[in-house]
């Protein structure tokens, strides 16, 4: 369906419920607001194929702007709400945004951007919700002044999101605009019906930041199905369970760090709420340690689905709980496209052989303004395959197992070591809240394995815990994979999307090894 359709058939049904404030946006309100914004964008000169940047925390106006872009034939770039003014300006400038929508909560960063510079020269409309600062139009009054009917030249838009930049500067993923009209069926959303049981009247819990590709895409699809999206302003494990009960959540999506925090709740807290409405729990975005997923299935039952895919949309795999229990650690079989494992020489490898993961037959994409990165992501032999940069293998039955990201691999004494395997062991220890494993310079071996641990109890950090953790890891892994040393941090630089911002740690330790200040 389409929000406009639901607005006619069930106008008072909640399209959005904010998990913290409880504020509700009905489908009628969502439809009318997105129509008004579409008129405002046309008035500012934006036409099909232009770009709009959305720099906003999880709040009630977020999906209004999204649907305005999707019904105006625009590219929507949702920007990480934790970035600095310089980083936001780079993305808004790089995508060529002609409109910029933000909030008072992000006002300090938005106001610090160089609006007189060449980078942002194309922006003709600046809106700010919840009280506008100087240099911005008030969102509420500007939107209310426009008609609530559709614009005359409605056409379908899409997202152009930027990578998290965990291994380099963010890059925008550019795909062709859809040719169908906004009211026509969307193939991507339609596929979620048989895959995950999306249905009219479903309730979808989104505990992650909406600027991230997966929460945004699934929220759009849920509303296309006539579903309510429950948006958490910020993830909290106990509040998430409470919302499942209070809102009758049927579907949800998570990242593994959220599972870890849910499992750290006491038995009393975990059993306090009625979760019987919960039919499907989806997870992706980062590797999930096998013991963690076993515990989640034991708790929630076989309702957990996992997929592997990227913003690029070049292919995907999927597995349900029953398949996964037969093959623990798999991310499933191909659901869109065909998976190939490729060796260093570009030749395809057989079952059980580890190499770069490529997809064939998925959607076409390019990295905006970066032909070199686009070429790097595509098969050098010209077979039309593309990769997200991950390493893994296929088993005899075609199930994909991911080893790690190629960029994270440690080469110590000529031996390839993958941090994920080591991190999966660390996280099983009850004293570990989070962990990052990476390579640091070593004069003899090139690199050595380093672990930085975020303990559950910060006061426990010290030599005694480090020795205990090293002993624990040695019980499970070969000696060459074990860290030479462990450092402790109160908080690791993990993005709200669940991805570890490992580059920050790697750069810091490289500077220390070189004898320069880590800033």
């Amino acid at each position: 369906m389409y929000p406009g359709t639901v607005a006619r058939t069930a106008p008072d049904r909640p399209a959005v419920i904010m998990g913290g404030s409880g504020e509700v946006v009905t489908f009628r309100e969502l439809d009318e607001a997105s129509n008004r914004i579409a008129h405002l964008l046309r008035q500012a000169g934006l036409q099909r194929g232009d770009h709009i940047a959305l720099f906003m925390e999880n709040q009630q106006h977020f999906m209004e702007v999204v649907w305005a872009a999707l019904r105006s034939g625009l590219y929507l770039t949702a920007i990480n709400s934790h970035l600095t003014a310089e980083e936001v300006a780079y993305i808004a400038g790089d995508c060529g945004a002609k409109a910029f929508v933000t909030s008072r909560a992000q006002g300090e960063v938005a106001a610090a951007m160089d609006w007189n510079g060449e980078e942002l020269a194309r922006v003709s409309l600046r809106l700010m919700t919840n009280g506008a600062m100087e240099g911005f139009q008030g969102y509420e009054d500007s939107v209310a002044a426009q008609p609530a009917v559709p614009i005359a030249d409605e056409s379908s838009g899409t997202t152009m999101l930027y990578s998290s930049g965990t291994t380099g500067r963010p890059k925008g993923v550019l795909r062709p605009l859809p040719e169908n009209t906004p009211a026509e069926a969307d193939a991507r959303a339609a596929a979620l019906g048989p895959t995950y049981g999306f249905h009219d009247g479903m309730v979808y819990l989104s505990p992650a930041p909406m600027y991230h590709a997966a929460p945004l895409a699934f929220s759009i699809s849920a509303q296309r199905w006539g579903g309510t999206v429950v948006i958490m302003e910020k993830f909290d494990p106990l509040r998430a369970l409470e919302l499942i009960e209070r809102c009758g959540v049927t579907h949800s999506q998570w990242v593994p760090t959220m599972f870890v925090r849910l499992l750290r709740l006491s038995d009393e807290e975990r059993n306090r709420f009625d979760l019987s409405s919960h039919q499907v729990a989806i997870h992706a975005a980062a590797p999930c340690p096998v013991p963690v997923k076993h515990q989640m299935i034991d708790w929630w039952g076989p309702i957990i689905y996992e997929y592997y895919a990227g913003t690029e949309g070049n292919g995907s795999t999927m597995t349900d709980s029953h398949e996964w229990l037969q093959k623990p650690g798999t991310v499933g079989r191909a659901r869109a496209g065909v998976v190939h494992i490729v060796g260093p020489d570009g030749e395809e490898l057989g079952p059980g052989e580890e190499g770069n993961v490529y997809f064939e037959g998925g959607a076409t994409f390019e990295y905006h303004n970066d032909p070199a990165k686009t070429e790097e992501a595509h098969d050098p032999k010209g077979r039309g395959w593309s990769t997200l940069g991950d390493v893994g293998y296929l088993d005899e039955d075609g199930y994909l197992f991911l080893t790690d990201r190629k960029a994270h691999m440690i080469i110590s004494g000529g031996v390839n070591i993958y941090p994920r395997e080591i991190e999966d062991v660390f996280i099983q220890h009850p004293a570990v809240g989070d962990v990052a494993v990476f390579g640091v310079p070593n004069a003899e071996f090139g690199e050595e394995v380093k672990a930085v641990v975020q303990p559950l109890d910060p006061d426990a950090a010290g030599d005694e815990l480090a020795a205990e953790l090293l002993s624990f890891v040695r019980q499970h892994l070969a000696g060459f994979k074990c860290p030479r040393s462990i450092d402790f941090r109160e908080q690791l630089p993990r993005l709200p999307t669940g991805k570890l911002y490992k580059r920050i740690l790697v750069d810091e330790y490289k500077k220390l090894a070189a004898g320069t200040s880590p800033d």
Side-chain angles (χ1 to χ4, degrees):
M1 290 191 286
Y2 180 61
T5 308
V6 187
R8 291 190 293 274
T9 58
D12 296 325
R13 177 184 296 172
V16 172
I17 300 174
M18 296 306 302
S21 67
E23 186 164 354
V24 173
V25 178
T26 67
F27 270 95
R28 177 197 287 121
E29 291 168 335
L30 175 64
D31 183 53
E32 291 182 352
S34 62
N35 278 326
R36 294 179 191 274
I37 300 167
H39 279 281
L40 188 59
L41 293 170
R42 285 287 189 266
Q43 191 177 88
L46 278 78
Q47 300 298 323
R48 178 173 171 83
D50 286 335
H51 294 248
I52 175 174
L54 176 60
F55 177 54
M56 188 182 287
E57 73 284 2
N58 285 8
Q59 59 138 290
Q60 72 274 18
H61 294 302
F62 198 101
M63 294 304 294
E64 298 171 357
V65 181
V66 170
W67 278 108
L70 296 182
R71 68 194 312 163
S72 303
L74 302 179
Y75 282 104
L76 174 89
T77 295
I79 301 176
N80 185 330
S81 58
H82 299 272
L83 298 183
T84 65
E86 182 180 336
E87 291 169 320
V88 176
Y90 159 72
I91 293 175
D94 186 70
C95 76
K98 292 187 175 180
F100 184 90
V101 185
T102 187
S103 67
R104 187 58 182 257
Q106 308 301 326
E108 184 176 341
V109 174
M113 295 164 62
D114 183 9
W115 292 104
N116 295 318
E118 184 179 343
E119 197 168 42
L120 301 173
R122 282 170 288 195
V123 178
S124 60
L125 176 66
R126 283 184 266 165
L127 296 173
M128 183 176 287
T129 70
N130 309 102
M133 299 173 65
E134 184 178 352
F136 295 84
Q137 291 180 222
Y139 174 93
E140 290 83 359
D141 290 344
S142 298
V143 172
Q146 301 297 322
V149 297
I151 57 175
D153 60 340
E154 274 198 330
S155 67
S156 291
T158 190
T159 57
M160 190 182 90
L161 304 182
Y162 278 67
S163 68
S164 56
T166 53
T167 57
R169 201 164 196 186
K171 50 190 178 289
V173 179
L174 181 64
R175 297 190 299 266
L177 284 173
E179 294 298 331
N180 58 300
T181 67
E184 289 176 331
D186 178 83
R188 197 172 178 185
L192 297 177
T195 303
Y196 299 117
F198 275 31
H199 60 269
D200 185 22
M202 63 179 284
V203 180
Y204 171 73
L205 176 66
S206 185
M210 294 296 289
Y211 61 74
H212 187 50
L216 181 55
F218 274 82
S219 294
I220 291 169
S221 294
Q223 290 180 338
R224 279 192 177 276
W225 277 94
T228 298
V229 177
V230 181
I231 300 175
M232 297 186 72
E233 289 89 340
K234 185 178 180 181
F235 175 70
D236 175 83
L238 205 60
R239 172 59 62 86
L241 297 178
E242 186 266 331
L243 287 171
I244 293 174
E245 177 184 87
R246 176 158 59 89
C247 299
V249 168
T250 58
H251 294 70
S252 61
Q253 188 173 47
W254 314 81
V255 294
T257 54
M258 294 177 181
F259 285 166
V260 171
R261 290 184 61 186
L262 285 161
L263 291 168
R264 295 287 194 249
L265 295 173
S266 67
D267 288 342
E268 179 186 357
E269 290 170 320
R270 286 168 54 179
N271 297 323
R272 186 184 304 173
F273 303 102
D274 178 5
L275 308 182
S276 59
S277 66
H278 203 190
Q279 301 167 10
V280 174
I282 305 162
H283 77 93
C288 185
V290 169
V292 169
K293 188 159 177 178
H294 268 300
Q295 292 176 67
M296 288 303 301
I297 294 174
D298 288 343
W299 176 15
W300 283 358
I303 68 167
I304 298 178
Y305 292 73
E306 180 174 4
Y307 70 89
Y308 166 63
T311 306
E312 291 80 352
N314 59 333
S316 66
T317 68
M318 194 270 284
T319 181
D320 61 20
S321 293
H322 300 290
E323 287 181 316
W324 188 90
L325 288 170
Q326 295 298 313
K327 295 177 179 288
T330 184
V331 293
R333 288 192 286 193
R335 183 168 67 94
V338 178
V339 178
H340 300 278
I341 306 298
V342 177
D345 60 357
E347 296 300 323
E348 188 164 7
L349 301 176
E353 295 184 289
E354 189 177 89
N356 295 331
V357 180
Y358 279 80
F359 282 103
E360 174 192 3
T364 60
F365 72 94
E366 64 181 79
Y367 293 120
H368 187 56
N369 291 337
D370 202 328
K373 286 182 179 177
T374 301
E375 183 178 359
E376 185 181 337
H378 287 81
D379 173 32
K381 289 188 175 291
R383 291 169 292 198
W385 307 348
S386 59
T387 181
L388 301 174
D390 293 304
V391 175
Y393 65 91
L394 292 168
D395 72 3
E396 294 284 354
D397 300 316
Y399 284 85
L400 178 62
F401 291 77
L402 297 178
T403 308
D404 211 324
R405 288 194 65 81
K406 184 179 180 181
H408 292 164
M409 186 174 68
I410 302 166
I411 304 176
S412 182
V415 178
N416 293 349
I417 301 171
Y418 291 101
R420 176 189 168 185
E421 180 184 15
I422 307 166
E423 291 166 349
D424 284 356
V425 173
F426 266 102
I427 204 65
Q428 296 177 52
H429 193 285
V432 176
D434 203 356
V435 61
V437 174
F438 50 93
V440 295
N442 179 286
E444 182 180 358
F445 296 102
E447 286 185 301
E448 65 179 63
V449 181
K450 183 74 177 184
V452 178
V453 170
Q454 177 184 318
L456 276 178
D457 178 9
D459 294 333
D463 292 344
E464 186 176 337
L465 179 57
E468 180 183 334
L469 293 176
L470 285 172
S471 175
F472 177 78
V473 173
R474 289 190 187 106
Q475 294 173 31
H476 299 275
L477 294 174
F480 71 89
K481 297 179 183 179
C482 295
R484 292 286 189 95
S485 60
I486 296 175
D487 289 346
F488 295 98
R489 297 284 175 89
E490 288 190 10
Q491 189 74 41
L492 292 185
R494 191 175 285 275
L495 301 175
T497 56
K499 289 185 178 181
L500 188 65
Y501 207 51
K502 195 172 286 188
R503 182 168 58 89
I504 290 178
L505 293 170
V506 172
D507 289 348
E508 177 184 331
Y509 277 84
K510 281 183 177 178
K511 289 180 180 179
L512 288 171
T516 57
S517 171
D519 301 325

